[in-house]
Amino acid sequence: MRETNSLPRHIAVIMDGNGRWAKKRGLPRTEGHKQGAEVFRRICRYASDLGIEYLSFYAFSTENWKRSAQEVDAIMDLLRHYLAEMEEREDENKEGGYRIRFLGAREGMPQDIVRLMDEVEERSADKTRMFVNLCVNYGGRDEIVRAARTLAERVQAGTLQPQDITERLLSDALYTAGQPDPDLVIRPSGEFRLSNFLIWQSAYAEFWYDDVLWPDFTPADLDRAIEAYQNRDRRFGNAK
Ligand code: FPP
């Protein structure tokens, strides 16, 4: 029998289906996001108990600004609340805890949230239990364009030769610099799209899709996704 893969080091999650979850219950979409934020907390705790090293979440894309002002404001408030909570819990969280990073453009974000993001990143920088990446105002193509600009600036300054640009160098110019690529990408709610999420980093990731809506997603669903991953044949372009 073929050997199973070990635990994924890095899991990336597209938190989809919040709106449909709320609609099914006759609630405003914002209630779906509220429940989604609770599930995010629960899954972080469970994944860190399992020993997952890196967990990334798609919380707000560069395209999500097109939603109604009310919905955008509600998501921003959930973020604010989470950030404030992280600040408050910092002291009781000295041992271990999450090292939090916010991936995405700071421009265009409310100033108070940017300040809180910077503080939470700085204060959690010495934590070792698990890396949590929250993608906020994030777009995969935008991230690659920014990395290309950074490298172009170095070429212009004469500190880099175009022929020395490698995959590694471009990876190191992304928000995820220094982190392993996702092994497993999870998308609930029955959609089969990557939606501009960690597109460079997920080149060899295994995908897991399911009909469960994110607000209904449980630790048992994470177990199912990991089990499916462990039974996949990962070849990275090699022959069988
Ligand atoms: C996609 O579902 C979800 C979002 C665009 C927002 C996700 C944000 C959160 C869960 C809260 C973020 C805050 C923290 C603290 C993590 P959808 O609205 O597109 O659902 P639908 O496809 O059913 O309409």
Side-chain angles (χ1 to χ4, degrees):
M1 214 177 86
R2 194 170 53 77
E3 276 181 35
T4 55
N5 298 314
S6 48
L7 206 61
R9 287 188 75 192
H10 187 169
I11 300 180
V13 184
I14 302 177
M15 303 188 283
D16 196 14
N18 298 345
R20 276 163 285 168
W21 181 91
K23 197 175 169 201
K24 260 173 53 181
R25 286 164 178 73
L27 298 168
R29 296 176 57 81
T30 50
E31 284 302 308
H33 298 316
K34 197 168 151 191
Q35 183 61 23
E38 282 309 313
V39 172
F40 154 79
R41 288 178 176 83
R42 198 177 305 146
I43 293 301
C44 281
R45 280 194 296 272
Y46 184 66
S48 102
D49 288 346
L50 286 181
I52 302 299
E53 293 174 66
Y54 295 83
L55 196 54
S56 299
F57 292 91
Y58 209 0
F60 193 84
S61 75
T62 43
E63 288 72 39
N64 285 151
W65 296 107
K66 293 179 201 147
R67 298 191 176 202
S68 74
Q70 191 205 12
E71 186 171 344
V72 169
D73 287 351
I75 296 174
M76 292 299 154
D77 273 348
L78 287 167
L79 274 170
R80 234 179 232 114
H81 188 75
Y82 177 69
L83 289 161
E85 183 184 290
M86 279 290 132
E87 286 245 295
E88 279 161 24
R89 291 209 187 145
E90 215 261 329
D91 285 343
E92 50 182 277
N93 208 8
K94 283 264 186 285
E95 324 271 309
Y98 309 143
R99 179 164 181 183
I100 301 175
R101 280 201 191 159
F102 296 94
L103 317 188
R106 299 290 212 260
E107 310 96 82
M109 288 292 295
Q111 275 312 302
D112 65 312
I113 293 190
V114 172
R115 207 173 47 245
L116 282 167
M117 282 173 162
D118 290 343
E119 279 172 25
V120 166
E121 276 187 347
E122 209 180 296
R123 288 191 192 189
S124 70
D126 60 343
K127 302 286 190 283
T128 53
R129 199 159 141 212
M130 183 172 73
F131 270 86
V132 176
N133 292 324
L134 256 176
C135 298
V136 177
N137 198 14
Y138 175 86
R141 288 186 175 180
D142 180 62
E143 179 183 29
I144 295 168
V145 167
R146 284 165 193 265
R149 263 187 219 137
T150 305
L151 299 183
E153 278 162 13
R154 287 172 56 188
V155 170
Q156 196 174 39
T159 58
L160 178 68
Q161 296 302 311
Q163 62 271 23
D164 292 333
I165 297 177
T166 57
E167 290 187 10
R168 178 62 201 266
L169 212 64
L170 200 133
S171 289
D172 286 345
L174 298 174
Y175 296 126
T176 45
Q179 301 191 3
D181 286 340
D183 301 294
L184 171 64
V185 173
I186 293 179
R187 180 155 198 166
S189 95
E191 309 285 357
F192 302 92
R193 288 186 292 275
L194 198 47
S195 300
N196 209 12
F197 180 51
L198 299 176
I199 49 175
W200 171 280
Q201 299 88 334
S202 298
Y204 285 99
E206 295 293 327
F207 285 80
W208 187 83
Y209 300 100
D210 195 76
D211 284 342
V212 61
L213 303 175
W214 176 250
D216 288 328
F217 193 91
T218 62
D221 292 317
L222 187 64
D223 285 341
R224 282 198 299 131
I226 292 174
E227 208 182 302
Y229 164 83
Q230 288 180 318
N231 286 303
R232 301 267 176 92
D233 187 13
R234 297 193 86 191
R235 297 214 297 275
F236 300 98
N238 275 333
K240 258 198 170 160

